[in-house]
Amino acid sequence: MDIRTKRYLKSKFKEYYRMANLDLPSELPSREWGFISFDQMPQTIMYRHKAFEAPGEIRDYLVSMQPAHVYHSVAYYQYPGAPSMKEKNWLGADLIFDLDADHLPNSPQSYADMLDMVKNEALKLLDFLMDDFGFPEDSITAVFSGGRGYHFHIEDPKVRQLESPQRREIVDYVGGKGIRAEFFYKRKFLEGDSGTGTKSFKEKTELSSRYVLKNPDTGWSRRITEYIACYLREEMEKDKKKRFRELKKIDGFGKKAISQLERIAVDPERLDAFRKTGMLDFGSNISQDLLLKLINMAIEENHIHLLNPAQVDEPVTADIKRLIRLPGSLHGGSGMRVVTLRLDEIENFEPLSDAVVFSGKPVTIKVMKPYEIQMKGEELQVEEGVQQVPEYAAIYLMCRGAAEYGSK
């Protein structure tokens, strides 16, 4: 990035910060602040250990310094401006989750597709936060990062004092790490006659019991019931010779078991009953650990992604002294706005339109390499060399290092 490009970007960021609506964190005087400057690029040097007492001080700083990136601490400190972490005196921290497309498996190459994928991850995480952990809606703040992901800020007294190991456990839970079948099933003894004749007491007990999922309508049990129900339904859509091919390789899935699964899979009422009760109606003539085998199949390593765990960046959540982007600031790697979202806005949020703040007036740039971008509902393809593009696209390309300002 040459000097003219840096000057241009700083001037545009300055214009923005004069009038920007900044979503400042709560307990402002207790937060540490950090900044990355355009002046030092391509080096990334963080200037931190800053503190502000009032909103006006922050705006004045942003207008005068025009930083490329703006961060505040997730932590609360007694002395946030102290020059060392030890001197700051940590008082607690919000619970933060970071979902970044760079950390997703099989992330697509297209920026637009990448953003769609990470938004789906954000919706998964929201389900965990509200359904599994029971965080009230007013304690959760969702934020588009301005780049390739989303942040969730949890401001709740119950989590403020959590240490790093405890926060890692939360990440492990939402990511499905360490799930074991025995956490989710229990043996249920059925009412009625357990059998007659010469059967032993043990055999009669086996016949009068089932393995069932605990609390099938909540948490991971709900996800397991949904996965198994979807799995059974999808298997029935396959060619008959291909159905349950993998199950047939597992000990205990004989012809009778497969036959029972087929009967259940074609019966919507039985599948709905399973979702509600966590119990598959197999009858008493097949192995009673069949459901346990299905659960194990669902949570084994090569299937766990089908249960919709949320792909969260663990180091961010575990770091109780982390700096996080300021909502309302600009992302120096894209020129787009870091946007605070209501929870009901996430699904319909379109980053490449809704987070774009600069105009469409033409700006001359020198493109360093061919580039494709989708912004404001249009696809823009630029070739190497001098050309004019809309201001928002010019700023994006300059921030990405794909173009320089002007024709020289």
Side-chain angles (χ1 to χ4, degrees), residues 309-344:
Q311 304 294 324
V312 174
D313 189 355
E314 183 268 338
V316 174
T317 301
D319 188 350
I320 58 176
K321 298 177 182 178
R322 192 84 175 189
L323 298 181
I324 198 79
R325 289 189 184 276
L326 170 66
S329 67
L330 294 178
H331 190 298
S334 69
M336 293 195 295
R337 187 173 189 261
V338 182
V339 182
T340 302
L341 300 167
R342 294 197 315 269
L343 302 187
D344 61 0

PDB file of all heavy atoms in Angstrom, residues 309-344:
ATOM      1  N   PRO A 309     -22.873 -28.864  14.954  1.00  0.00           N
ATOM      2  CA  PRO A 309     -22.137 -28.096  15.980  1.00  0.00           C
ATOM      3  C   PRO A 309     -21.748 -26.750  15.408  1.00  0.00           C
ATOM      4  O   PRO A 309     -21.654 -26.581  14.194  1.00  0.00           O
ATOM      5  CB  PRO A 309     -20.901 -28.964  16.238  1.00  0.00           C
ATOM      6  CG  PRO A 309     -20.682 -29.697  14.959  1.00  0.00           C
ATOM      7  CD  PRO A 309     -22.046 -29.957  14.393  1.00  0.00           C
ATOM      8  N   ALA A 310     -21.565 -25.771  16.273  1.00  0.00           N
ATOM      9  CA  ALA A 310     -21.157 -24.439  15.810  1.00  0.00           C
ATOM     10  C   ALA A 310     -19.635 -24.369  15.772  1.00  0.00           C
ATOM     11  O   ALA A 310     -18.967 -24.746  16.732  1.00  0.00           O
ATOM     12  CB  ALA A 310     -21.718 -23.367  16.740  1.00  0.00           C
ATOM     13  N   GLN A 311     -19.083 -23.896  14.658  1.00  0.00           N
ATOM     14  CA  GLN A 311     -17.633 -23.838  14.465  1.00  0.00           C
ATOM     15  C   GLN A 311     -17.096 -22.524  15.025  1.00  0.00           C
ATOM     16  O   GLN A 311     -16.992 -21.523  14.315  1.00  0.00           O
ATOM     17  CB  GLN A 311     -17.299 -23.971  12.975  1.00  0.00           C
ATOM     18  CG  GLN A 311     -17.862 -25.224  12.329  1.00  0.00           C
ATOM     19  CD  GLN A 311     -17.232 -26.490  12.883  1.00  0.00           C
ATOM     20  OE1 GLN A 311     -16.052 -26.526  13.198  1.00  0.00           O
ATOM     21  NE2 GLN A 311     -18.026 -27.530  13.009  1.00  0.00           N
ATOM     22  N   VAL A 312     -16.770 -22.515  16.299  1.00  0.00           N
ATOM     23  CA  VAL A 312     -16.346 -21.310  17.001  1.00  0.00           C
ATOM     24  C   VAL A 312     -14.830 -21.281  17.138  1.00  0.00           C
ATOM     25  O   VAL A 312     -14.196 -22.326  17.336  1.00  0.00           O
ATOM     26  CB  VAL A 312     -16.999 -21.263  18.407  1.00  0.00           C
ATOM     27  CG1 VAL A 312     -16.463 -20.104  19.222  1.00  0.00           C
ATOM     28  CG2 VAL A 312     -18.516 -21.153  18.270  1.00  0.00           C
ATOM     29  N   ASP A 313     -14.239 -20.090  17.048  1.00  0.00           N
ATOM     30  CA  ASP A 313     -12.795 -19.923  17.233  1.00  0.00           C
ATOM     31  C   ASP A 313     -12.489 -19.978  18.732  1.00  0.00           C
ATOM     32  O   ASP A 313     -12.700 -19.006  19.455  1.00  0.00           O
ATOM     33  CB  ASP A 313     -12.357 -18.585  16.629  1.00  0.00           C
ATOM     34  CG  ASP A 313     -10.847 -18.432  16.591  1.00  0.00           C
ATOM     35  OD1 ASP A 313     -10.144 -19.313  17.120  1.00  0.00           O
ATOM     36  OD2 ASP A 313     -10.367 -17.422  16.054  1.00  0.00           O
ATOM     37  N   GLU A 314     -11.994 -21.121  19.188  1.00  0.00           N
ATOM     38  CA  GLU A 314     -11.810 -21.353  20.636  1.00  0.00           C
ATOM     39  C   GLU A 314     -10.879 -20.357  21.320  1.00  0.00           C
ATOM     40  O   GLU A 314     -11.187 -19.879  22.427  1.00  0.00           O
ATOM     41  CB  GLU A 314     -11.316 -22.793  20.843  1.00  0.00           C
ATOM     42  CG  GLU A 314     -11.157 -23.192  22.296  1.00  0.00           C
ATOM     43  CD  GLU A 314      -9.758 -22.941  22.817  1.00  0.00           C
ATOM     44  OE1 GLU A 314      -8.821 -22.861  22.007  1.00  0.00           O
ATOM     45  OE2 GLU A 314      -9.606 -22.807  24.050  1.00  0.00           O
ATOM     46  N   PRO A 315      -9.720 -19.988  20.729  1.00  0.00           N
ATOM     47  CA  PRO A 315      -8.831 -19.062  21.440  1.00  0.00           C
ATOM     48  C   PRO A 315      -9.473 -17.718  21.772  1.00  0.00           C
ATOM     49  O   PRO A 315      -9.150 -17.112  22.790  1.00  0.00           O
ATOM     50  CB  PRO A 315      -7.662 -18.889  20.459  1.00  0.00           C
ATOM     51  CG  PRO A 315      -7.651 -20.143  19.657  1.00  0.00           C
ATOM     52  CD  PRO A 315      -9.101 -20.503  19.490  1.00  0.00           C
ATOM     53  N   VAL A 316     -10.385 -17.249  20.922  1.00  0.00           N
ATOM     54  CA  VAL A 316     -11.037 -15.960  21.192  1.00  0.00           C
ATOM     55  C   VAL A 316     -11.910 -16.057  22.430  1.00  0.00           C
ATOM     56  O   VAL A 316     -11.875 -15.193  23.315  1.00  0.00           O
ATOM     57  CB  VAL A 316     -11.873 -15.512  19.975  1.00  0.00           C
ATOM     58  CG1 VAL A 316     -12.678 -14.256  20.306  1.00  0.00           C
ATOM     59  CG2 VAL A 316     -10.963 -15.247  18.781  1.00  0.00           C
ATOM     60  N   THR A 317     -12.715 -17.105  22.519  1.00  0.00           N
ATOM     61  CA  THR A 317     -13.611 -17.266  23.667  1.00  0.00           C
ATOM     62  C   THR A 317     -12.828 -17.482  24.955  1.00  0.00           C
ATOM     63  O   THR A 317     -13.202 -16.982  26.018  1.00  0.00           O
ATOM     64  CB  THR A 317     -14.575 -18.441  23.429  1.00  0.00           C
ATOM     65  OG1 THR A 317     -15.341 -18.190  22.245  1.00  0.00           O
ATOM     66  CG2 THR A 317     -15.526 -18.621  24.609  1.00  0.00           C
ATOM     67  N   ALA A 318     -11.743 -18.238  24.874  1.00  0.00           N
ATOM     68  CA  ALA A 318     -10.964 -18.578  26.072  1.00  0.00           C
ATOM     69  C   ALA A 318     -10.127 -17.413  26.590  1.00  0.00           C
ATOM     70  O   ALA A 318      -9.754 -17.394  27.765  1.00  0.00           O
ATOM     71  CB  ALA A 318     -10.060 -19.764  25.781  1.00  0.00           C
ATOM     72  N   ASP A 319      -9.839 -16.436  25.744  1.00  0.00           N
ATOM     73  CA  ASP A 319      -8.949 -15.337  26.114  1.00  0.00           C
ATOM     74  C   ASP A 319      -9.725 -14.263  26.873  1.00  0.00           C
ATOM     75  O   ASP A 319     -10.482 -13.491  26.294  1.00  0.00           O
ATOM     76  CB  ASP A 319      -8.319 -14.743  24.852  1.00  0.00           C
ATOM     77  CG  ASP A 319      -7.228 -13.729  25.157  1.00  0.00           C
ATOM     78  OD1 ASP A 319      -7.084 -13.336  26.340  1.00  0.00           O
ATOM     79  OD2 ASP A 319      -6.527 -13.309  24.225  1.00  0.00           O
ATOM     80  N   ILE A 320      -9.538 -14.199  28.181  1.00  0.00           N
ATOM     81  CA  ILE A 320     -10.291 -13.263  29.010  1.00  0.00           C
ATOM     82  C   ILE A 320      -9.715 -11.849  28.979  1.00  0.00           C
ATOM     83  O   ILE A 320     -10.240 -10.943  29.645  1.00  0.00           O
ATOM     84  CB  ILE A 320     -10.374 -13.760  30.470  1.00  0.00           C
ATOM     85  CG1 ILE A 320      -8.971 -13.945  31.061  1.00  0.00           C
ATOM     86  CG2 ILE A 320     -11.170 -15.051  30.549  1.00  0.00           C
ATOM     87  CD1 ILE A 320      -8.975 -14.346  32.525  1.00  0.00           C
ATOM     88  N   LYS A 321      -8.663 -11.638  28.200  1.00  0.00           N
ATOM     89  CA  LYS A 321      -8.082 -10.297  28.054  1.00  0.00           C
ATOM     90  C   LYS A 321      -8.042  -9.882  26.580  1.00  0.00           C
ATOM     91  O   LYS A 321      -7.281  -9.015  26.190  1.00  0.00           O
ATOM     92  CB  LYS A 321      -6.672 -10.268  28.660  1.00  0.00           C
ATOM     93  CG  LYS A 321      -6.685 -10.574  30.155  1.00  0.00           C
ATOM     94  CD  LYS A 321      -5.289 -10.630  30.740  1.00  0.00           C
ATOM     95  CE  LYS A 321      -5.345 -10.982  32.235  1.00  0.00           C
ATOM     96  NZ  LYS A 321      -3.991 -11.084  32.839  1.00  0.00           N
ATOM     97  N   ARG A 322      -8.915 -10.491  25.806  1.00  0.00           N
ATOM     98  CA  ARG A 322      -8.957 -10.276  24.363  1.00  0.00           C
ATOM     99  C   ARG A 322      -9.460  -8.879  24.015  1.00  0.00           C
ATOM    100  O   ARG A 322     -10.250  -8.282  24.753  1.00  0.00           O
ATOM    101  CB  ARG A 322      -9.906 -11.301  23.732  1.00  0.00           C
ATOM    102  CG  ARG A 322      -9.843 -11.384  22.214  1.00  0.00           C
ATOM    103  CD  ARG A 322      -8.736 -12.287  21.801  1.00  0.00           C
ATOM    104  NE  ARG A 322      -8.683 -12.509  20.362  1.00  0.00           N
ATOM    105  CZ  ARG A 322      -7.896 -13.418  19.793  1.00  0.00           C
ATOM    106  NH1 ARG A 322      -7.141 -14.198  20.544  1.00  0.00           N
ATOM    107  NH2 ARG A 322      -7.861 -13.559  18.495  1.00  0.00           N
ATOM    108  N   LEU A 323      -9.020  -8.382  22.874  1.00  0.00           N
ATOM    109  CA  LEU A 323      -9.595  -7.171  22.297  1.00  0.00           C
ATOM    110  C   LEU A 323     -10.516  -7.597  21.152  1.00  0.00           C
ATOM    111  O   LEU A 323     -10.186  -8.496  20.385  1.00  0.00           O
ATOM    112  CB  LEU A 323      -8.510  -6.235  21.765  1.00  0.00           C
ATOM    113  CG  LEU A 323      -7.511  -5.691  22.788  1.00  0.00           C
ATOM    114  CD1 LEU A 323      -6.510  -4.754  22.108  1.00  0.00           C
ATOM    115  CD2 LEU A 323      -8.218  -4.956  23.914  1.00  0.00           C
ATOM    116  N   ILE A 324     -11.671  -6.947  21.030  1.00  0.00           N
ATOM    117  CA  ILE A 324     -12.660  -7.284  20.019  1.00  0.00           C
ATOM    118  C   ILE A 324     -13.036  -6.030  19.246  1.00  0.00           C
ATOM    119  O   ILE A 324     -12.934  -4.918  19.781  1.00  0.00           O
ATOM    120  CB  ILE A 324     -13.907  -7.925  20.679  1.00  0.00           C
ATOM    121  CG1 ILE A 324     -14.760  -8.684  19.667  1.00  0.00           C
ATOM    122  CG2 ILE A 324     -14.728  -6.889  21.433  1.00  0.00           C
ATOM    123  CD1 ILE A 324     -14.232 -10.034  19.307  1.00  0.00           C
ATOM    124  N   ARG A 325     -13.457  -6.167  18.004  1.00  0.00           N
ATOM    125  CA  ARG A 325     -13.773  -4.999  17.180  1.00  0.00           C
ATOM    126  C   ARG A 325     -14.916  -4.171  17.751  1.00  0.00           C
ATOM    127  O   ARG A 325     -15.905  -4.707  18.252  1.00  0.00           O
ATOM    128  CB  ARG A 325     -14.150  -5.436  15.760  1.00  0.00           C
ATOM    129  CG  ARG A 325     -12.984  -5.939  14.963  1.00  0.00           C
ATOM    130  CD  ARG A 325     -13.349  -6.160  13.502  1.00  0.00           C
ATOM    131  NE  ARG A 325     -12.200  -6.740  12.819  1.00  0.00           N
ATOM    132  CZ  ARG A 325     -11.194  -6.032  12.335  1.00  0.00           C
ATOM    133  NH1 ARG A 325     -11.218  -4.712  12.432  1.00  0.00           N
ATOM    134  NH2 ARG A 325     -10.176  -6.623  11.741  1.00  0.00           N
ATOM    135  N   LEU A 326     -14.779  -2.865  17.615  1.00  0.00           N
ATOM    136  CA  LEU A 326     -15.822  -1.948  18.070  1.00  0.00           C
ATOM    137  C   LEU A 326     -16.966  -1.930  17.066  1.00  0.00           C
ATOM    138  O   LEU A 326     -16.771  -1.575  15.901  1.00  0.00           O
ATOM    139  CB  LEU A 326     -15.256  -0.533  18.220  1.00  0.00           C
ATOM    140  CG  LEU A 326     -16.302   0.566  18.461  1.00  0.00           C
ATOM    141  CD1 LEU A 326     -16.982   0.381  19.822  1.00  0.00           C
ATOM    142  CD2 LEU A 326     -15.669   1.944  18.343  1.00  0.00           C
ATOM    143  N   PRO A 327     -18.190  -2.286  17.479  1.00  0.00           N
ATOM    144  CA  PRO A 327     -19.345  -2.154  16.585  1.00  0.00           C
ATOM    145  C   PRO A 327     -19.549  -0.689  16.189  1.00  0.00           C
ATOM    146  O   PRO A 327     -19.492   0.211  17.016  1.00  0.00           O
ATOM    147  CB  PRO A 327     -20.506  -2.659  17.451  1.00  0.00           C
ATOM    148  CG  PRO A 327     -19.872  -3.590  18.434  1.00  0.00           C
ATOM    149  CD  PRO A 327     -18.544  -2.953  18.750  1.00  0.00           C
ATOM    150  N   GLY A 328     -19.749  -0.486  14.904  1.00  0.00           N
ATOM    151  CA  GLY A 328     -19.883   0.869  14.379  1.00  0.00           C
ATOM    152  C   GLY A 328     -18.607   1.388  13.752  1.00  0.00           C
ATOM    153  O   GLY A 328     -18.631   2.388  13.024  1.00  0.00           O
ATOM    154  N   SER A 329     -17.478   0.727  14.016  1.00  0.00           N
ATOM    155  CA  SER A 329     -16.206   1.138  13.412  1.00  0.00           C
ATOM    156  C   SER A 329     -16.094   0.540  12.009  1.00  0.00           C
ATOM    157  O   SER A 329     -16.949  -0.234  11.566  1.00  0.00           O
ATOM    158  CB  SER A 329     -15.032   0.685  14.279  1.00  0.00           C
ATOM    159  OG  SER A 329     -14.923  -0.728  14.302  1.00  0.00           O
ATOM    160  N   LEU A 330     -15.034   0.894  11.302  1.00  0.00           N
ATOM    161  CA  LEU A 330     -14.768   0.350   9.978  1.00  0.00           C
ATOM    162  C   LEU A 330     -13.682  -0.710  10.048  1.00  0.00           C
ATOM    163  O   LEU A 330     -12.751  -0.605  10.842  1.00  0.00           O
ATOM    164  CB  LEU A 330     -14.328   1.464   9.014  1.00  0.00           C
ATOM    165  CG  LEU A 330     -15.369   2.531   8.681  1.00  0.00           C
ATOM    166  CD1 LEU A 330     -14.765   3.586   7.760  1.00  0.00           C
ATOM    167  CD2 LEU A 330     -16.615   1.927   8.054  1.00  0.00           C
ATOM    168  N   HIS A 331     -13.817  -1.713   9.204  1.00  0.00           N
ATOM    169  CA  HIS A 331     -12.835  -2.787   9.110  1.00  0.00           C
ATOM    170  C   HIS A 331     -11.799  -2.386   8.067  1.00  0.00           C
ATOM    171  O   HIS A 331     -12.118  -2.216   6.885  1.00  0.00           O
ATOM    172  CB  HIS A 331     -13.539  -4.080   8.693  1.00  0.00           C
ATOM    173  CG  HIS A 331     -12.704  -5.311   8.789  1.00  0.00           C
ATOM    174  ND1 HIS A 331     -11.543  -5.495   8.053  1.00  0.00           N
ATOM    175  CD2 HIS A 331     -12.855  -6.450   9.532  1.00  0.00           C
ATOM    176  CE1 HIS A 331     -11.027  -6.675   8.332  1.00  0.00           C
ATOM    177  NE2 HIS A 331     -11.801  -7.275   9.232  1.00  0.00           N
ATOM    178  N   GLY A 332     -10.547  -2.241   8.496  1.00  0.00           N
ATOM    179  CA  GLY A 332      -9.499  -1.789   7.602  1.00  0.00           C
ATOM    180  C   GLY A 332      -9.101  -2.767   6.525  1.00  0.00           C
ATOM    181  O   GLY A 332      -8.315  -2.419   5.636  1.00  0.00           O
ATOM    182  N   GLY A 333      -9.630  -3.968   6.562  1.00  0.00           N
ATOM    183  CA  GLY A 333      -9.349  -4.945   5.532  1.00  0.00           C
ATOM    184  C   GLY A 333     -10.424  -5.026   4.470  1.00  0.00           C
ATOM    185  O   GLY A 333     -10.289  -5.773   3.500  1.00  0.00           O
ATOM    186  N   SER A 334     -11.510  -4.258   4.638  1.00  0.00           N
ATOM    187  CA  SER A 334     -12.614  -4.287   3.669  1.00  0.00           C
ATOM    188  C   SER A 334     -13.242  -2.922   3.436  1.00  0.00           C
ATOM    189  O   SER A 334     -13.887  -2.711   2.412  1.00  0.00           O
ATOM    190  CB  SER A 334     -13.710  -5.255   4.144  1.00  0.00           C
ATOM    191  OG  SER A 334     -14.370  -4.734   5.291  1.00  0.00           O
ATOM    192  N   GLY A 335     -13.085  -2.016   4.414  1.00  0.00           N
ATOM    193  CA  GLY A 335     -13.758  -0.728   4.331  1.00  0.00           C
ATOM    194  C   GLY A 335     -15.225  -0.800   4.686  1.00  0.00           C
ATOM    195  O   GLY A 335     -15.953   0.192   4.580  1.00  0.00           O
ATOM    196  N   MET A 336     -15.692  -1.967   5.132  1.00  0.00           N
ATOM    197  CA  MET A 336     -17.096  -2.115   5.506  1.00  0.00           C
ATOM    198  C   MET A 336     -17.291  -1.874   7.001  1.00  0.00           C
ATOM    199  O   MET A 336     -16.354  -1.928   7.784  1.00  0.00           O
ATOM    200  CB  MET A 336     -17.605  -3.500   5.115  1.00  0.00           C
ATOM    201  CG  MET A 336     -17.663  -3.711   3.607  1.00  0.00           C
ATOM    202  SD  MET A 336     -18.641  -5.139   3.089  1.00  0.00           S
ATOM    203  CE  MET A 336     -17.701  -6.489   3.759  1.00  0.00           C
ATOM    204  N   ARG A 337     -18.530  -1.640   7.369  1.00  0.00           N
ATOM    205  CA  ARG A 337     -18.875  -1.298   8.742  1.00  0.00           C
ATOM    206  C   ARG A 337     -19.027  -2.548   9.595  1.00  0.00           C
ATOM    207  O   ARG A 337     -19.534  -3.581   9.137  1.00  0.00           O
ATOM    208  CB  ARG A 337     -20.188  -0.499   8.766  1.00  0.00           C
ATOM    209  CG  ARG A 337     -20.569   0.060  10.130  1.00  0.00           C
ATOM    210  CD  ARG A 337     -21.782   0.978  10.001  1.00  0.00           C
ATOM    211  NE  ARG A 337     -22.038   1.691  11.236  1.00  0.00           N
ATOM    212  CZ  ARG A 337     -22.942   1.330  12.133  1.00  0.00           C
ATOM    213  NH1 ARG A 337     -23.681   0.255  11.930  1.00  0.00           N
ATOM    214  NH2 ARG A 337     -23.111   2.042  13.237  1.00  0.00           N
ATOM    215  N   VAL A 338     -18.568  -2.460  10.830  1.00  0.00           N
ATOM    216  CA  VAL A 338     -18.817  -3.493  11.832  1.00  0.00           C
ATOM    217  C   VAL A 338     -20.225  -3.224  12.370  1.00  0.00           C
ATOM    218  O   VAL A 338     -20.460  -2.203  13.009  1.00  0.00           O
ATOM    219  CB  VAL A 338     -17.766  -3.437  12.963  1.00  0.00           C
ATOM    220  CG1 VAL A 338     -18.013  -4.541  13.979  1.00  0.00           C
ATOM    221  CG2 VAL A 338     -16.358  -3.523  12.383  1.00  0.00           C
ATOM    222  N   VAL A 339     -21.167  -4.136  12.100  1.00  0.00           N
ATOM    223  CA  VAL A 339     -22.593  -3.846  12.289  1.00  0.00           C
ATOM    224  C   VAL A 339     -23.183  -4.628  13.461  1.00  0.00           C
ATOM    225  O   VAL A 339     -23.085  -5.858  13.515  1.00  0.00           O
ATOM    226  CB  VAL A 339     -23.390  -4.186  11.013  1.00  0.00           C
ATOM    227  CG1 VAL A 339     -24.868  -3.830  11.192  1.00  0.00           C
ATOM    228  CG2 VAL A 339     -22.811  -3.447   9.811  1.00  0.00           C
ATOM    229  N   THR A 340     -23.815  -3.901  14.390  1.00  0.00           N
ATOM    230  CA  THR A 340     -24.584  -4.538  15.457  1.00  0.00           C
ATOM    231  C   THR A 340     -25.931  -4.978  14.904  1.00  0.00           C
ATOM    232  O   THR A 340     -26.595  -4.220  14.188  1.00  0.00           O
ATOM    233  CB  THR A 340     -24.807  -3.572  16.623  1.00  0.00           C
ATOM    234  OG1 THR A 340     -23.539  -3.133  17.119  1.00  0.00           O
ATOM    235  CG2 THR A 340     -25.581  -4.240  17.755  1.00  0.00           C
ATOM    236  N   LEU A 341     -26.344  -6.207  15.238  1.00  0.00           N
ATOM    237  CA  LEU A 341     -27.590  -6.762  14.718  1.00  0.00           C
ATOM    238  C   LEU A 341     -28.500  -7.220  15.848  1.00  0.00           C
ATOM    239  O   LEU A 341     -28.031  -7.806  16.822  1.00  0.00           O
ATOM    240  CB  LEU A 341     -27.289  -7.967  13.820  1.00  0.00           C
ATOM    241  CG  LEU A 341     -26.420  -7.719  12.584  1.00  0.00           C
ATOM    242  CD1 LEU A 341     -25.956  -9.042  11.996  1.00  0.00           C
ATOM    243  CD2 LEU A 341     -27.189  -6.926  11.557  1.00  0.00           C
ATOM    244  N   ARG A 342     -29.785  -6.934  15.701  1.00  0.00           N
ATOM    245  CA  ARG A 342     -30.748  -7.610  16.564  1.00  0.00           C
ATOM    246  C   ARG A 342     -30.755  -9.081  16.180  1.00  0.00           C
ATOM    247  O   ARG A 342     -30.467  -9.436  15.024  1.00  0.00           O
ATOM    248  CB  ARG A 342     -32.150  -7.030  16.398  1.00  0.00           C
ATOM    249  CG  ARG A 342     -32.330  -5.596  16.848  1.00  0.00           C
ATOM    250  CD  ARG A 342     -33.837  -5.296  17.026  1.00  0.00           C
ATOM    251  NE  ARG A 342     -34.625  -5.807  15.917  1.00  0.00           N
ATOM    252  CZ  ARG A 342     -34.925  -5.117  14.815  1.00  0.00           C
ATOM    253  NH1 ARG A 342     -34.469  -3.881  14.659  1.00  0.00           N
ATOM    254  NH2 ARG A 342     -35.655  -5.661  13.852  1.00  0.00           N
ATOM    255  N   LEU A 343     -31.105  -9.933  17.114  1.00  0.00           N
ATOM    256  CA  LEU A 343     -31.050 -11.363  16.841  1.00  0.00           C
ATOM    257  C   LEU A 343     -31.992 -11.769  15.715  1.00  0.00           C
ATOM    258  O   LEU A 343     -31.687 -12.687  14.941  1.00  0.00           O
ATOM    259  CB  LEU A 343     -31.366 -12.151  18.116  1.00  0.00           C
ATOM    260  CG  LEU A 343     -30.444 -11.862  19.310  1.00  0.00           C
ATOM    261  CD1 LEU A 343     -30.754 -12.821  20.449  1.00  0.00           C
ATOM    262  CD2 LEU A 343     -28.970 -11.941  18.922  1.00  0.00           C
ATOM    263  N   ASP A 344     -33.121 -11.064  15.593  1.00  0.00           N
ATOM    264  CA  ASP A 344     -34.054 -11.404  14.518  1.00  0.00           C
ATOM    265  C   ASP A 344     -33.654 -10.797  13.173  1.00  0.00           C
ATOM    266  O   ASP A 344     -34.336 -11.006  12.168  1.00  0.00           O
ATOM    267  CB  ASP A 344     -35.480 -10.985  14.879  1.00  0.00           C
ATOM    268  CG  ASP A 344     -35.618  -9.476  15.113  1.00  0.00           C
ATOM    269  OD1 ASP A 344     -34.613  -8.750  14.989  1.00  0.00           O
ATOM    270  OD2 ASP A 344     -36.733  -9.026  15.439  1.00  0.00           O
TER     271      ASP A 344
END
